[in-house]
């Protein structure tokens, strides 16, 4: 079942604030973005190509999937083979906020390097 209007609005508000939190001095070198699907959210960072620099590349960082039947969020990280795998330290949580905070904190270095 897709996100409700209320859930969608809440996710958009949280993620828009996060994406606008990139310092102005580096916005020509780094951007944060997100894509919201029917029951998942992918956050990514964008960086300019070397040549031509006006083209930007998106690099997926984390994927959050809401499993309505279990009433939990599941967190995935992207491996070198570009496949999504469950993030072992916190594979699921009751709230999006808990997992989003884990990605921002990145205690293992797997999301932001």
């Amino acid at each position: 079942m897709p996100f409700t209007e209320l859930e969608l609005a809440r996710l958009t508000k949280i993620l828009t604030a996060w994406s606008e939190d990139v310092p102005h001095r580096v916005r020509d070198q780094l951007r944060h973005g997100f894509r919201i699907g029917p029951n998942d959210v992918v956050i990514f960072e964008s960086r300019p190509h070397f040549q031509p620099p006006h083209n930007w590349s998106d690099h997926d960082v984390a994927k959050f999937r809401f499993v309505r039947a279990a009433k939990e969020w599941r967190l995935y990280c992207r491996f070198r083979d570009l496949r999504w795998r469950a993030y072992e330290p916190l594979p699921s949580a009751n709230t999006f906020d808990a997992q989003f905070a884990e990605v921002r904190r990145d205690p293992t270095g797997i999301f932001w390097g």
Side-chain angles (χ1 to χ4, degrees), residues 9-29:
R10 184 174 182 283
L11 289 169
T12 301
K13 181 179 177 181
I14 291 167
L15 295 167
T16 299
W18 166 75
S19 65
E20 293 173 353
D21 199 29
V22 174
H24 287 285
R25 69 182 185 283
V26 297
R27 286 191 180 176
D28 61 335
Q29 300 168 18

Side-chain angles (χ1 to χ4, degrees), residues 17-18 24 33 46-47 49 53 65 83 86 98 112:
W18 166 75
H24 287 285
S46 298
R47 294 184 181 268
H49 285 274
R65 173 167 283 148
R83 292 186 181 177
W112 305 107

Side-chain angles (χ1 to χ4, degrees), residues 25-77:
R25 69 182 185 283
V26 297
R27 286 191 180 176
D28 61 335
Q29 300 168 18
L30 173 69
R31 296 177 189 159
H32 287 158
F34 59 93
R35 294 184 301 272
I36 300 177
N39 65 345
D40 64 352
V41 175
V42 175
I43 61 170
F44 59 89
E45 68 176 15
S46 298
R47 294 184 181 268
H49 285 274
F50 178 70
Q51 288 295 335
H54 61 276
N55 291 341
W56 288 66
S57 293
D58 296 342
H59 304 280
D60 293 342
V61 173
K63 183 176 190 174
F64 309 86
R65 173 167 283 148
F66 184 62
V67 181
R68 196 165 301 278
K71 296 182 182 176
E72 68 181 14
W73 284 90
R74 295 187 182 159
L75 177 57
Y76 300 88
C77 53

